[in-house]
Amino acid sequence: MTIDDCLALPETQQAILLYESPSYTPDWHRFRLVFSLPRYITDPKLFVQIVKKYVEIYKADDCNSEVNAFYGNSNATIYNLTNGDVIKYSNGVRR
């Protein structure tokens, strides 16, 4: 799925942020979506259930590990889905 394909899905309207993963290339779109949940999740099993829902929606069967929530990318393009800003970073510095 490309970033444009993802942004066109109605479920993505609930996301607050999209950013490219470190393995992203123009030919292989790899990215992560960030969603705001109604409460803080401390139960790992509940977190996995929530992630599985989104894995099904986005057909992202290779990214269902809860540890992915803690990884970023200092060379990413970040899409702020709440205000439309697109910010590019290179080695952690905004371009």
Side-chain angles (χ1 to χ4, degrees):
M1 175 180 298
T2 68
I3 289 175
D4 287 338
D5 292 339
C6 177
L7 293 173
L9 291 174
E11 292 84 0
T12 305
Q13 299 303 312
Q14 299 172 20
I16 58 172
L17 193 71
L18 181 149
Y19 66 95
E20 298 167 348
S21 72
S23 59
Y24 173 92
T25 69
D27 296 325
W28 191 40
H29 286 210
R30 304 283 295 166
F31 53 88
R32 297 187 178 116
L33 285 167
V34 178
F35 291 87
S36 177
L37 299 175
R39 65 182 173 89
Y40 187 70
I41 306 298
T42 58
D43 178 354
K45 290 180 183 178
L46 177 58
F47 183 80
V48 169
Q49 288 176 337
I50 293 168
V51 169
K52 283 183 179 182
K53 172 191 170 206
Y54 289 105
V55 165
E56 290 173 14
I57 292 169
Y58 293 99
K59 298 174 182 34
D61 57 353
D62 60 342
C63 66
N64 56 7
S65 171
E66 59 271 13
V67 299
N68 285 343
F70 301 99
Y71 291 110
N73 181 6
S74 61
N75 294 306
T77 299
I78 299 172
Y79 300 80
N80 182 330
L81 302 177
T82 62
N83 66 11
D85 285 350
V86 177
I87 305 165
K88 295 181 184 276
Y89 283 88
S90 178
N91 295 320
V93 178
R94 190 174 181 166
R95 299 187 259 160

